[in-house]
Amino acid sequence: MSEKTLVIAEKPSVARDIARVMHCSKKSNTYLEGNQYIVTWALGHLVTLADPEEYGRQYQSWNMDTLPMLPKEWKLVVIKQTSRQYAAVKELLHRKDVSQVIIATDAGREGELVARWILDKAGSKKPVRRLWISSVTDKAIREGFSNLKPGKDYENLYHAAVARAQSDWVVGINATRALTCKYNAQLSCGRVQTPTLAMIAAREEEIRHFQPKAYYGLKAVSGGITYTWTDSKTGSGRTFDKERIEKLRAQSSSEMLKITEIRRKTKHSGAPALYDLTTLQREANQKYGFSAKETLNIMQRLYENHKVLTYPRTDSRYLTSDMLDTIEERLKACAVGPYKKLALKLSRQKLRGKAAFVNNSKVSDHHAIIPTEQFVDLSHMSHEERKIYDLVVRRFLAVLCPACEYEETSVKAAIGCEVFQARGTILKAPGWREAYDQDYEELEEDDPEEYGPDGSPAFSLRSGSSDNLLQEEAARSLRQGASLPVSGLSVTEGKTKPPAYFTEGTLIAAMENPVKYLRHKDKTIIRTLGETGGLGTVATRADIIEKLFNSFLMEKRGNEIHLTSKGKQLLELVPQDLKSPELTASWEQRLQAIAAGRESDKKFMSEIQDYTISLIQEIKTGNGTFRHDNMTRKKCPQCGKFMLEVNGKHGKLLVCQDRECGYRETLSRHTNARCPVCHKKMELVGKDDGQRFVCACGYREKLSAFEERRKKEGKGVNKRDINNYMKKQAKEAKEPINQAFAEAFAKLKLDDN
């Protein structure tokens, strides 16, 4: 009997790719087999930490007296929904002809946990090696198998993953049970979700207490160019003193404008950095309205199914030097459609000098998201996949292009003793902007100011329009020392604006870098958050946001995120420690140290247990209260308890307050259908034949009438299209979140009050 190697992938799609490359043609429902390899798969996690009930009968009911729960020996259980696949993998592990195991799950902390828990639960002692790849193309798989790593190299990563899971279980389940028992309400908390919620609350408080202030400026027009007054002491182009600006206007009305300085300088700007997952999620949200979870799901399909993009769950925006030899092949692979001309042009060029996008020290587990060497067929992609692929490919092409070159002209002038300035740019060579058809604008969180950093407005001198050419000629005719008549002098007025509410895009960016959103900035917190990458990881942030929506702790109003009453009350009841980003930052820092072999996982868990004991004591002695202010008088048709009206991410719902019952009823759903009167997006309400669209402006239309109208307009929308859309929205709303205590409330019953 010839010996074989068992390969454990994380998902069936990846397993099929590995099996094809490694010539495993014999098919089964649970594995693929060849002469040398047997390839099987997990379905995400097949094994997880046991629920509290597994540790004793006393934990079957939620009782404050049984807390805290601190397991001495941790138990692993097989997840019921995927138990058949686990049984199949276990059988393969114990096959006599299987001599060794290759872990081929996702290359990261959580991927390591998926495979190692299966091996642990199955009692496998066979030698282990590790496949560590960032893309699932045939080439990457072949190279990965020729460079397999010893399993021992990743044991510390596994210890860190176990410590993360156990610490989240201990703190999350204990605090959740304590809060729920104390206040008789479905309240959950955790070391990442609660600080995220607190960050949203801090932003809302800042907006609520914001007092707008009027500010003023002064503009002078001379020779077709507008100059802006600049305070000679502060360099600002505005003042809050209206009397001062009015006085300056009166004093300057009869004066000439004297040119005191003209500077022309050629400047270069490099392309924006390559994408990591957080940056891509943010831009996809701002450009296309995709949620963080939607973007990750689309990226996963482009990585696993289409194989045209590299591993999505990365926190790096750089490549390693050993990847430079693969650039040409990647360019040729994506040289299709709108990218063909530039990609082929770049593929013929040699990289000169030190590339700005290459930095070995800034790549840990995975490099930035870039195209693979797999040939691309755009016709096989959905509309949403095309959008995400377009973002990644254009950014990849941009970093390979030369810098953008432009000439900046800055003019200083004086009217009497007051300083006036103007500035403009002339595009000389588009450089990397060629990848964006020269119209690229980097997205920012807040609206850009209408003046430059020194207070002066930017007058555009770009080539391409007659107005700009006239302005360019006007600027070119200026001479230092010249005195010019002022044709117009006007006071400008504006008001300071509060910070914007979070959107999904800005929230996920804030989770990565929460320092700027903290009200009380501490140097230790800032340093720790910088070292650990903020709240959560690139792999978990989208799920955390979804959990906060699904727990009805926050809701969407348009594109803005707002706390619900439940979320606000929870923050009043949760211990201060759990609201601070410092807790999760310090945890992540220590988990990284465990993964690097610098710290003991046993010591870490001992301290976590001590912390949990103090946490439960703080909740027990708390004197807060919780009140459902969204309780309706409609009773649940299944259990008879009063239902709660909530704003879900995709519409308005009635939900039973009893988590074990779990009954939900949709009242309305957000749609992309536009109102024919005000053109805003409408809601779909009602059931079956009574479904109708409702707009905030008061317009109402039956679904049947809407379909008929759209057919007449040639839009071709039918009932099946709308039903498919609704099913998709419902499926996304119910997607499970992979956390140790995600189903903890399933065992809980609450009273009507």
Side-chain angles (χ1 to χ4, degrees), residues 563-682:
L563 288 187
T564 62
S565 170
K566 181 179 179 181
K568 292 173 184 175
Q569 290 185 78
L570 175 65
L571 288 174
E572 292 294 322
L573 305 175
V574 168
Q576 185 62 37
D577 265 6
L578 278 179
K579 293 187 282 186
S580 171
E582 184 180 11
L583 177 67
T584 190
S586 62
W587 279 25
E588 282 298 330
Q589 191 175 43
R590 296 186 68 182
L591 291 170
Q592 287 178 13
I594 293 168
R598 298 193 305 268
E599 184 169 340
S600 164
D601 56 327
K602 291 181 174 58
K603 179 185 176 186
F604 173 73
M605 284 308 303
S606 174
E607 293 178 19
I608 290 295
Q609 291 193 351
D610 291 342
Y611 169 72
T612 303
I613 293 169
S614 64
L615 195 67
I616 298 308
Q617 185 60 32
E618 186 175 343
I619 294 173
K620 283 180 177 179
T621 56
N623 55 7
T625 57
F626 183 88
R627 180 177 64 88
H628 283 300
D629 59 2
N630 59 340
M631 185 89 73
T632 67
R633 301 311 296 169
K634 183 171 182 179
K635 291 189 175 182
C636 172
Q638 291 185 1
C639 71
K641 294 184 178 180
F642 288 119
M643 299 179 73
L644 308 174
E645 183 177 307
V646 297
N647 290 316
K649 188 177 180 182
H650 304 289
K652 191 167 287 186
L653 304 157
L654 284 176
V655 299
C656 181
Q657 61 172 294
D658 189 331
R659 185 63 174 263
E660 184 177 340
C661 172
Y663 179 79
R664 291 186 176 199
E665 184 179 317
T666 301
L667 295 178
S668 67
R669 283 203 172 279
H670 307 317
T671 75
N672 288 324
R674 297 281 180 175
C675 172
V677 178
C678 68
H679 306 295
K680 291 181 179 178
K681 290 183 179 180
M682 298 188 291

Side-chain angles (χ1 to χ4, degrees), residues 351-632:
L351 291 171
R352 298 177 181 174
K354 187 178 180 182
F357 57 87
V358 176
N359 191 326
N360 293 359
S361 66
K362 292 190 177 181
V363 180
S364 51
D365 290 343
H366 299 284
H367 55 70
I369 301 168
I370 60 172
T372 65
E373 302 95 330
Q374 183 83 15
F375 173 76
V376 177
D377 189 341
L378 297 175
S379 65
H380 289 175
M381 295 183 193
S382 68
H383 188 56
E384 290 79 12
E385 288 167 351
R386 280 286 304 271
K387 286 179 175 178
I388 296 298
Y389 182 75
D390 184 77
L391 287 175
V392 175
V393 172
R394 289 190 186 277
R395 182 60 59 89
F396 177 63
L397 297 175
V399 300
L400 295 169
C401 288
C404 170
E405 183 180 330
Y406 61 96
E407 182 180 271
E408 183 180 84
T409 302
S410 59
V411 181
K412 279 190 177 181
I415 300 179
C417 297
E418 297 300 324
V419 177
F420 286 76
Q421 295 189 68
R423 176 185 298 158
T425 57
I426 306 168
L427 186 64
K428 293 294 187 182
W432 60 267
R433 288 180 177 271
E434 189 179 351
Y436 294 94
D437 301 319
Q438 301 182 30
D439 63 352
Y440 174 80
E441 288 187 16
E442 200 155 8
L443 294 170
E444 297 180 7
E445 177 184 342
D446 300 310
D447 293 331
E449 299 283 7
E450 57 185 20
Y451 42 79
D454 60 356
S456 62
F459 62 87
S460 175
L461 300 181
R462 298 176 194 151
S463 309
S465 75
S466 57
D467 289 344
N468 287 338
L469 291 172
L470 285 171
Q471 284 194 330
E472 182 180 342
E473 290 171 7
R476 290 290 183 191
S477 66
L478 294 175
R479 295 290 179 269
Q480 191 164 320
S483 293
L484 305 170
V486 177
S487 57
L489 200 62
S490 59
V491 172
T492 59
E493 184 176 345
K495 284 189 175 181
T496 55
K497 296 178 182 178
Y501 283 98
F502 281 118
T503 64
E504 281 203 56
T506 57
L507 179 58
I508 208 159
M511 290 172 74
E512 182 180 52
N513 183 23
V515 172
K516 62 187 288 189
Y517 302 99
L518 298 176
R519 296 189 68 190
H520 306 292
K521 296 183 180 179
D522 179 271
K523 288 182 180 179
T524 305
I525 296 177
I526 291 172
R527 185 178 65 253
T528 306
L529 287 171
E531 291 171 352
T532 58
L535 295 172
T537 67
V538 289
T540 61
R541 288 180 191 126
D543 278 343
I544 292 296
I545 291 174
E546 290 296 310
K547 180 173 175 61
L548 291 171
F549 279 125
N550 294 337
S551 302
F552 310 115
L553 295 169
M554 65 187 195
E555 62 189 19
K556 288 185 82 170
R557 299 177 192 171
N559 201 33
E560 297 175 349
I561 293 174
H562 294 256
L563 288 187
T564 62
S565 170
K566 181 179 179 181
K568 292 173 184 175
Q569 290 185 78
L570 175 65
L571 288 174
E572 292 294 322
L573 305 175
V574 168
Q576 185 62 37
D577 265 6
L578 278 179
K579 293 187 282 186
S580 171
E582 184 180 11
L583 177 67
T584 190
S586 62
W587 279 25
E588 282 298 330
Q589 191 175 43
R590 296 186 68 182
L591 291 170
Q592 287 178 13
I594 293 168
R598 298 193 305 268
E599 184 169 340
S600 164
D601 56 327
K602 291 181 174 58
K603 179 185 176 186
F604 173 73
M605 284 308 303
S606 174
E607 293 178 19
I608 290 295
Q609 291 193 351
D610 291 342
Y611 169 72
T612 303
I613 293 169
S614 64
L615 195 67
I616 298 308
Q617 185 60 32
E618 186 175 343
I619 294 173
K620 283 180 177 179
T621 56
N623 55 7
T625 57
F626 183 88
R627 180 177 64 88
H628 283 300
D629 59 2
N630 59 340
M631 185 89 73
T632 67

